[in-house]
Amino acid sequence: MAAPNLKAETISLMDMRASMEAEMDAIIESLCGPSGPGLSGNLVDSEGFPRTDIDLSAVRSQRRRLAELQNDYKDITGQIEKNLQVLHSLNKVTPLPPLSSDQTSYGNLPQGSPMIEDPVLRVPFAIIDEIADDSPSAEDGLQLGDEIVKFGNVQMGDELQARLLAEAQSNHGNPIHMEIVRQGVLMHATVTPRAWRGRGLLGCHFRLL
């Protein structure tokens, strides 16, 4: 049967993607650390000379590797999406196990709890590649590298940036339920858009995949 083989291939691709996520997270953490230049910060000083406070060769290498990983990540995610479409069209995806009585309400799950899902049923559409300290996102438990599967009513589709912005603005002061993938595990989270000392209502950046 083609479906079981396709499902095994999809899970293998998701494992590869998780390894890539871990490597990207490590690079992002290094570049965005207290003494790092960031993902796109200048490598020259105010006078136009190469900066002496960082290892320029290492930074260039990390940025180049991150770009390679991001391209490969996009390709793998695209293949996963194609596989999922076939699996769903064949109706061969393993059904979810029934929830127990204390799990029937989405809101009863604790923040950051793993969700009972088949691992190939959900595909992230964005990743948190920047998050500010003391921001609503950080205070509500979101982390750098979290992949966004669902943000309120927003899932995969067109005009994602505009829809994400509208979702945050329309829920100012109200919690937004999210589905995220963290270290390969699908889980739920909530974030409440609100004013804080920084820009925006969330204090993080979603990079579309």
Side-chain angles (χ1 to χ4, degrees), residues 99-105 108:
L99 296 176
S100 62
S101 59
D102 60 347
Q103 294 173 322
T104 54
S105 173
N108 288 339

Side-chain angles (χ1 to χ4, degrees), residues 12-153:
S12 177
L13 287 172
M14 295 185 77
D15 289 340
M16 291 173 57
R17 189 175 65 176
S19 296
M20 295 170 63
E21 290 166 0
E23 187 175 353
M24 287 191 292
D25 288 346
I27 293 174
I28 292 171
E29 183 177 359
S30 175
L31 291 174
C32 298
S35 60
L39 300 181
S40 58
N42 287 332
L43 301 183
V44 296
D45 60 24
S46 59
E47 297 179 350
F49 293 101
R51 291 175 56 176
T52 59
D53 60 323
I54 56 176
D55 185 337
L56 294 177
S57 177
V59 170
R60 292 191 181 101
S61 177
Q62 286 180 314
R63 288 180 174 177
R64 183 167 55 251
R65 177 57 179 162
L66 182 60
E68 293 171 353
L69 287 167
Q70 289 171 337
N71 288 333
D72 291 344
Y73 187 94
K74 182 177 180 180
D75 291 341
I76 287 179
T77 298
Q79 185 59 51
I80 290 172
E81 292 174 1
K82 291 179 181 178
N83 289 3
L84 287 175
Q85 291 175 359
V86 174
L87 287 168
H88 283 296
S89 67
L90 295 175
N91 196 27
K92 292 293 185 178
V93 178
T94 303
L96 298 179
L99 296 176
S100 62
S101 59
D102 60 347
Q103 294 173 322
T104 54
S105 173
Y106 183 84
N108 288 339
L109 289 172
Q111 177 83 352
S113 293
M115 300 179 67
I116 301 175
E117 291 280 355
D118 188 304
V120 302
L121 286 177
R122 305 287 188 176
V123 176
F125 63 82
I127 186 172
I128 297 179
D129 62 353
E130 295 180 27
I131 187 166
D133 294 337
D134 302 323
S135 65
S137 294
E139 290 183 349
D140 290 352
L142 297 182
Q143 298 180 13
L144 194 69
D146 283 348
E147 295 178 289
I148 312 304
V149 175
K150 185 176 181 181
F151 182 77
N153 294 316

Side-chain angles (χ1 to χ4, degrees), residues 160-200:
L160 284 171
Q161 288 286 15
R163 291 162 58 201
L164 288 167
L165 179 61
E167 189 74 11
Q169 292 177 337
S170 64
N171 286 281
H172 189 178
N174 299 309
I176 294 177
H177 293 290
M178 302 176 62
E179 292 177 13
I180 64 173
V181 174
R182 179 177 297 166
Q183 298 179 349
V185 178
L186 182 68
M187 55 182 60
H188 97 95
T190 59
V191 63
T192 301
R194 54 191 183 273
W196 62 297
R197 61 180 178 81
R199 297 176 56 187

